[in-house]
Amino acid sequence: MIKALIFDFDGTIIDTETAWYITFRDAYKTHGVNLTLEQYSQCLGTSLHSFNPYTHLKTHHNLPIDLEEFKQLVQQQHTEMMIKERVRPGILQLLETAKSQGLKIGLASSSERTWIDKFVKLHGIEDYFECYCTADTVKNVKPDPELYLQALEKLGVEASEAIAIEDSPNGARAAVAAGIPTVVIKNDITNQLPFSEGHHTIESLTNYDLEKLAELVQQKVHSS
């Protein structure tokens, strides 16, 4: 029996990731550097430890750029792109259904809490989540399972009693490693990336209510 849903945030609830890649890609172009999706994907759904797009032009290409100015420019352009972005299809309906049926709802994100708060408040969905597990609350972010393990503990459920909703390879790996039945809804960016096994993939939540999701995760998982 499913007792809880645990959502990733960036790219899953709101597609912030496509805008980030486009913003960084265009910013790199102005400096004559091609930022490939394969390269950028190293920081998708995880920390900037493996690849830091803010500093890469200076540390790896030795370009004399002002890092703070570059960061502010990128963030300003991303903010402008995000003004038109909405909660992804089917998310609100699933949140409302889960809440009405008494399921516990958590959020597990590699982003910082201040970043998440800005968007959940903007879209009026902050009260759906009983716990916020973020980069501020753990030592290791995704693909490490710590965020999901922490969410399970805070919600008071077993891994088998929850469903994780993800969009990225790093996020899916983290949820699967925590033993949680995982459903991946790829966005425009993550749809182009290779995923490991162990999760279910669907095109959109619009065709899946809570009952169908529960039935889906009971099925055998094939290669994704």
Side-chain angles (χ1 to χ4, degrees), residues 112-131:
E112 295 180 354
R113 178 67 184 268
T114 53
W115 167 260
I116 295 168
D117 281 347
K118 178 171 64 174
F119 289 101
V120 295
K121 290 177 181 178
L122 176 65
H123 294 282
I125 60 175
E126 68 270 27
D127 292 336
Y128 282 107
F129 304 102
E130 295 184 32
C131 72

Side-chain angles (χ1 to χ4, degrees), residues 117-158:
D117 281 347
K118 178 171 64 174
F119 289 101
V120 295
K121 290 177 181 178
L122 176 65
H123 294 282
I125 60 175
E126 68 270 27
D127 292 336
Y128 282 107
F129 304 102
E130 295 184 32
C131 72
Y132 284 80
C133 300
T134 65
D136 315 273
T137 66
V138 296
K139 292 182 179 179
N140 302 299
V141 294
K142 305 168 186 177
D144 189 282
E146 186 177 358
L147 279 163
Y148 277 106
L149 293 174
Q150 184 180 80
L152 290 173
E153 182 178 0
K154 288 188 175 184
L155 294 175
V157 298
E158 300 294 329

